[in-house]
Amino acid sequence: KPSNNHNMRTTLLALFALLTYLVSGQNHTFETNDPEMAKAYDALLKKKQASGESIDVLVTVVDEDGTVRSTKMVNDRQLVQRKGKFGYENPAGEVMINLQFDFGDDFHGGYAVVGKYDEGQKKTYHKWHIDRHGKSLYATNLYVEVHPFCNGYAIVNETVGFQMCHINYAGKPIYSQRYTYCWDFNIGGKAMVEKVKGRKVRYIVIDTTGRELGSVEYDYATDRSDPKSRTKAKKALAKWL
């Protein structure tokens, strides 16, 4: 049984790792060979998410043979990485979706985001959604960044130059506009999006047809230097959300 000192040290190390992620915004994956550390990090993540912070980090544990497994089993599928390739196992440890992807994420609501390097590349991906049987929901060469589905829609980026929008389960954009950033639709069918033009940045509320319901505008340089600007924008747009 771990001692109290070990538990305290594990929690502090996990807290330090989480704070490093929050400051840098760089790491999407937290990897450890200590299951207790992974458990502590998961607990901290849940507290942050419960407080309203939007954090999506993949927590993994490394086995002695070098196999990397997510700490989550969702829809009877657990993300596994071996020799640089991702796939999915069931609760019995049987491979249900072959380890064939260069990128993989946990399942969310019956679907997972996977990806493969572009041909001849080791830096750029194309990503897409699969179901729990490994079947692709749409063509695999459409988007360079894909988020999990939320309330029926997923955020995608068409190019490395921030051409973002929302898609449906068939992989089709649900409106014609493109934005520099998008947030998930809420249960009421409203989402906040961002559009940068020159020195100005607009935060806009749209519905699922892409119709603009309201917006606020800020100076780009001032906005980007203020880490609380998005929270302020969301409050300003609350009557439309």
Side-chain angles (χ1 to χ4, degrees):
K1 182 179 179 180
S3 67
N4 288 336
N5 286 340
H6 174 79
N7 288 338
M8 178 70 75
R9 179 176 177 276
T10 298
T11 301
L12 288 173
L13 287 172
L15 179 58
F16 176 76
L18 179 57
L19 290 173
T20 301
Y21 161 76
L22 292 173
V23 170
S24 68
Q26 297 295 314
N27 296 325
H28 177 264
T29 303
F30 175 72
E31 188 175 288
T32 178
N33 58 7
D34 183 350
E36 292 301 318
M37 174 74 79
K39 192 181 297 183
Y41 194 91
D42 262 338
L44 290 168
L45 271 180
K46 287 176 182 176
K47 284 184 180 180
K48 284 288 184 182
Q49 291 163 343
S51 69
E53 293 196 43
S54 179
I55 305 173
D56 185 18
V57 180
L58 176 64
V59 184
T60 60
V61 179
V62 185
D63 292 346
E64 290 183 2
D65 66 357
T67 298
V68 182
R69 286 183 171 82
S70 169
T71 57
K72 296 178 182 177
M73 177 73 69
V74 185
N75 303 125
D76 285 338
R77 296 292 181 266
Q78 183 177 32
L79 180 66
V80 178
Q81 181 189 17
R82 190 177 299 119
K83 295 181 179 179
K85 295 293 183 180
F86 291 84
Y88 296 86
E89 294 179 343
N90 65 12
E94 300 168 324
V95 174
M96 303 304 293
I97 301 174
N98 288 335
L99 282 71
Q100 58 187 293
F101 306 109
D102 298 311
F103 173 86
D105 202 355
D106 290 321
F107 269 80
H108 296 265
Y111 305 100
V113 176
V114 296
K116 287 189 176 182
Y117 287 120
D118 296 332
E119 189 172 352
Q121 296 284 332
K122 282 294 182 181
K123 292 183 179 179
T124 58
Y125 293 101
H126 270 81
K127 297 180 181 178
W128 64 95
H129 291 92
I130 60 171
D131 65 18
R132 59 191 301 275
H133 304 291
K135 182 180 177 181
S136 302
L137 271 62
Y138 46 85
T140 62
N141 62 347
L142 299 177
Y143 307 114
V144 298
E145 185 60 45
V146 175
H147 294 212
F149 280 104
C150 179
N151 294 315
Y153 305 99
I155 299 164
V156 298
N157 191 8
E158 293 179 330
T159 72
V160 292
F162 296 104
Q163 292 290 311
M164 302 187 77
C165 64
H166 294 83
I167 62 170
N168 58 23
Y169 289 111
K172 302 290 186 183
I174 61 174
Y175 48 74
S176 60
Q177 302 94 320
R178 298 296 180 266
Y179 299 99
T180 49
Y181 197 77
C182 300
W183 284 264
D184 286 322
F185 275 100
N186 61 26
I187 197 168
K190 310 290 174 53
M192 192 167 80
V193 294
E194 175 193 85
K195 182 173 282 189
V196 176
K197 188 174 182 179
R199 297 180 60 84
K200 298 294 183 180
V201 55
R202 286 179 69 214
Y203 291 111
I204 309 159
V205 175
I206 61 171
D207 63 17
T208 56
T209 68
R211 183 167 61 99
E212 294 188 5
L213 305 177
S215 67
V216 292
E217 187 174 86
Y218 296 95
D219 177 77
Y220 181 82
T222 303
D223 171 76
R224 291 296 179 165
S225 65
D226 182 359
K228 296 181 180 179
S229 62
R230 288 176 179 78
T231 302
K232 292 177 181 177
K234 196 168 184 179
K235 287 182 179 179
L237 294 169
K239 62 183 176 182
W240 292 292
L241 282 168

